[in-house]
Amino acid sequence: MAYSPLIQELLDALRCLPGVGPRSAQRIALHLLQRDRGGGERLARALEAAMKRVGRCTQCRLPTEETVCELCRNDKREQSVLCVVESPSDVFALEQATDYGGRYFVLLGRLSPLDGIGPADVGLDELERQLAGGEIREVILAVSPTVEGEATARYVADIAAEQGVSCSRIAHGVPVGGELEFVDSGTLSHAFAGRRSFR
Amino acid sequence: MAYSPLIQELLDALRCLPGVGPRSAQRIALHLLQRDRGGGERLARALEAAMKRVGRCTQCRLPTEETVCELCRNDKREQSVLCVVESPSDVFALEQATDYGGRYFVLLGRLSPLDGIGPADVGLDELERQLAGGEIREVILAVSPTVEGEATARYVADIAAEQGVSCSRIAHGVPVGGELEFVDSGTLSHAFAGRRSFR
């Protein structure tokens, strides 16, 4: 006893979604078939168009179907400051939380030589070219404080120094609203070492 | 600052999936774009084919792209027993858990006059026609013990009685392995009233 071929293929294909196992796939497929065929057809069209036509912005590597993304085309933004992030969602998080008005560079990954992910795989060669261009005066590192993030930060700081570009990194410490006793020891030691004068 | 049009349309379309909000949609879209374009394209094709071509089995109402589903075509199954369930996933649950070898009838919903869901909306007219056909000798009710499920069970029992077809209902009670003190009072009173002789 099995589902019909088209339904079985849909169940298998749904497994490509992150976190979707056999039971969720069944729930999603039956929901769409019984209650939302229009939504399912729209999703099929949107998926096909996005998978085939979305590439990367040639300047900042943000996923987009355009050659240069909206953010990089916006000449009201400060062209001399470049914020380096790991993922597109970091760009949106920073845009929502801060009034940063410069440009971005999206690595789409983290430097991880042990996994065979070298500088060119995360666009660090392109970043080096942009820094060599002379227009950028400051690089802001907004990468995660993980092992790979640290390696990436170190690498970017080195190429920035070679090009005479100043380089800063966003602060890591106790989250605002967090209580000390619930903060992990790594964060606490980071925050303690990174203390600043206060009065 | 916004995602490009194709990505935004994908984010909106993903919201038709049950339980997917703005953040999950972003996570799914970026995962597919960065790591699994092939999976995304396969899902697009599977969704389109299933949404356009999957209908219902004309006999048991199970979703299928065929006129009569594999289960109903199988003439090794007992044709005189019909098990009535609410959803296609119930059929698969029963097939896995029991050695039931008869036919099924899938309501695809529950009788709920207050919501405007009458007998014809859940296929009870078709069920009545099949019972009138004379081939079916027993109906097994495997609907949920909810208010709507009770109304559905009552309705099916009535039409079965009219046609002189015997009708039984699967047992409700304390789950196997469950401890009495953690069982809700409705289930416990059901189980108590439905006690059977034992020695």
Side-chain angles (χ1 to χ4, degrees), chain B residues 145-179:
Chain B
T146 56
V147 175
E148 293 92 351
E150 294 293 336
T152 311
R154 183 58 41 217
Y155 191 97
V156 175
D158 287 349
I159 57 178
E162 273 174 34
Q163 305 293 343
V165 174
S166 79
C167 183
S168 63
R169 189 167 181 193
I170 62 166
H172 299 119
V174 178
V176 176
E179 295 197 47

Side-chain angles (χ1 to χ4, degrees), chain A residues 37-185:
Chain A
R37 299 239 174 180
E41 289 184 18
R42 180 185 173 192
L43 178 56
R45 287 190 301 272
L47 267 175
E48 192 190 345
M51 293 301 121
K52 292 222 168 107
R53 289 171 46 204
V54 170
R56 288 175 187 173
C57 170
T58 49
Q59 280 194 36
C60 72
R61 292 168 52 95
L62 205 61
T64 175
E65 64 270 25
E66 294 146 342
T67 316
V68 178
C69 75
E70 192 194 339
L71 233 154
C72 289
R73 285 202 311 271
N74 182 351
D75 54 16
K76 292 204 183 92
R77 295 187 79 102
E78 182 57 67
Q79 301 295 310
S80 65
V81 189
L82 190 69
C83 178
V84 177
V85 298
E86 286 171 359
S87 138
S89 47
D90 300 335
V91 173
F92 293 89
L94 285 167
E95 284 293 293
Q96 282 188 350
T98 71
D99 59 355
Y100 175 66
R103 291 175 44 210
Y104 287 94
F105 190 88
V106 187
L107 298 171
L108 297 178
R110 293 164 187 174
L111 200 57
S112 180
L114 287 179
D115 300 320
I117 301 175
D121 297 310
V122 293
L124 288 170
D125 50 346
E126 171 61 22
L127 178 64
E128 194 164 0
R129 262 193 298 282
Q130 293 193 14
L131 295 183
E135 203 183 4
I136 295 156
R137 288 200 321 270
E138 185 186 353
V139 166
I140 300 172
L141 281 163
V143 296
S144 308
T146 55
V147 175
E148 293 92 352
E150 294 293 336
T152 312
R154 184 58 41 215
Y155 190 97
V156 174
D158 287 348
I159 57 178
E162 273 172 33
Q163 305 294 342
V165 174
S166 79
C167 182
S168 62
R169 189 166 181 194
I170 62 165
H172 299 118
V174 179
V176 176
E179 295 198 45
L180 278 203
E181 62 174 320
F182 300 121
V183 170
D184 67 287
S185 59

Side-chain angles (χ1 to χ4, degrees), chain A residues 1-7 9-10 12-14 16-18 26-28 30-34 36-37 39-44 46-55 62-66 70-71 87-89 91-92 95 108, chain B residues 1-7 9-10 12-14 16-18 26-28 30-34 36-37 39-44 46-55 62-66 70-71 87-89 91-92 95 108:
Chain A
M1 170 59 204
Y3 280 102
S4 68
L6 284 184
I7 300 181
E9 168 60 16
L10 176 58
D12 294 343
L14 281 167
C16 76
L17 300 179
Q26 177 174 291
R27 196 166 61 96
I28 293 172
L30 293 178
H31 169 83
L32 293 177
L33 285 170
Q34 285 177 239
D36 196 5
R37 299 239 174 180
E41 289 184 18
R42 180 185 173 192
L43 178 56
L47 267 175
E48 192 190 345
M51 293 301 121
K52 292 222 168 107
R53 289 171 46 204
V54 170
L62 205 61
T64 175
E65 64 270 25
E66 294 146 342
E70 192 194 339
L71 233 154
S87 138
S89 47
V91 173
F92 293 89
E95 284 293 293
L108 297 178
Chain B
M1 170 61 206
Y3 280 103
S4 66
L6 284 184
I7 300 181
E9 168 60 16
L10 176 57
D12 294 343
L14 281 167
C16 74
L17 302 179
Q26 177 175 289
R27 196 166 60 96
I28 294 171
L30 292 178
H31 170 83
L32 293 177
L33 285 170
Q34 286 177 238
D36 196 5
R37 299 240 173 177
E41 288 183 19
R42 179 185 174 191
L43 178 56
L47 266 175
E48 194 191 342
M51 293 302 122
K52 292 220 167 109
R53 290 170 45 202
V54 169
L62 204 61
T64 175
E65 65 269 25
E66 293 146 342
E70 192 194 338
L71 234 153
S87 139
S89 47
V91 173
F92 293 89
E95 284 293 293
L108 296 179

